[in-house]
Amino acid sequence: MQITVNQTVIEIVCADITEEETDAIVNAANSTLSGGAGVDGAIHRAGGPAIMAECRKIGGCPVGEAVITTGGNLKARYVIHTVGPVYRGGGRGEAALLASAYRNSLKLAVKKGVGSISFPAISCGVYGYPVHEAASLALQTCLEFARSSAELKLIRHVLFDERTYDIFAGKLKKLMT
Ligand code: ADP
């Protein structure tokens, strides 16, 4: 399912992000960039040790910001590591931080000349962000970015399970009407 905004296709799919063929994939990392469970572990496993070697050199990444490394053995040339907020009820700036994580990943992609990028559902796993709210924020932030910048040709939201996909699909449908 997709929409075109300005010159950018925004697409949602139900798939494994480690198999994406976009120029960059985004990792939902933690602030120490030391790897972990979920999508982070899957990306490091599939991409090999070159990604962690660069993460160690970078040293860390504050919540809401993003850094970039090689894609190692992945099909994607780059991995953009961003850190979403841990959800603690919604009153601790989580929404602004989650939007920043998406926005700063998009900005970094453009800076590196990336034409296509894939996102996981940042903060929607271990970090506990309610998927309905996270989906609205993710799609809205990418939509706004696409309206103001024509450099990215494709933004994919790669959702790992059907429930998350269905929620993103529902939100995207609303945005299309
Ligand atoms: P966070 O700590 O930011 O919550 P998680 O990795 O725990 O990060 O979860 C983020 C989302 O990524 C969840 O929706 C989870 O189901 C999903 N996910 C886990 N593995 C993959 C994968 N291989 N491809 C795409 N999404 C994945």
Side-chain angles (χ1 to χ4, degrees):
M1 187 180 176
Q2 56 171 236
I3 53 168
T4 303
V5 179
N6 192 12
Q7 317 218 5
T8 307
V9 172
I10 298 177
E11 189 167 44
I12 62 165
V13 293
C14 190
D16 179 344
I17 202 166
T18 63
E19 305 195 340
E20 284 294 296
E21 295 183 3
T22 45
D23 297 340
I25 65 168
V26 176
N27 181 17
N30 57 50
S31 54
T32 58
L33 300 179
S34 55
V39 72
D40 196 350
I43 288 172
H44 283 288
R45 273 195 302 279
I51 300 175
M52 185 50 79
E54 282 189 35
C55 283
R56 282 207 195 94
K57 274 192 204 146
I58 296 165
C61 177
V63 180
E65 296 190 16
V67 300
I68 192 163
T69 67
T70 174
N73 303 328
L74 296 168
K75 290 174 193 149
R77 186 159 171 219
Y78 298 110
V79 176
I80 292 175
H81 306 260
T82 191
V83 185
V86 175
Y87 190 79
R88 294 197 176 90
R92 298 186 187 214
E94 290 97 327
L97 288 167
L98 186 59
S100 286
Y102 278 94
R103 204 176 303 115
N104 285 324
S105 299
L106 293 164
K107 278 190 192 158
L108 187 52
V110 167
K111 201 171 145 194
K112 279 283 180 176
V114 161
S116 55
I117 185 169
S118 300
F119 282 97
I122 300 166
S123 287
C124 290
V126 175
Y127 283 5
Y129 213 110
V131 181
H132 277 94
E133 290 169 38
S136 290
L137 272 168
L139 292 169
Q140 200 66 55
T141 305
C142 290
L143 211 104
E144 274 163 28
F145 193 87
R147 282 200 188 109
S148 64
S149 161
E151 281 151 295
L152 281 166
K153 300 300 166 222
L154 175 64
I155 302 173
R156 276 161 71 87
H157 295 271
V158 180
L159 296 327
F160 202 43
D161 58 277
E162 269 178 41
R163 175 182 169 261
T164 307
Y165 174 85
D166 288 345
I167 293 171
F168 270 72
K171 300 290 178 190
L172 188 60
K173 257 183 216 146
K174 271 195 194 149
L175 288 171
M176 287 161 80
T177 54

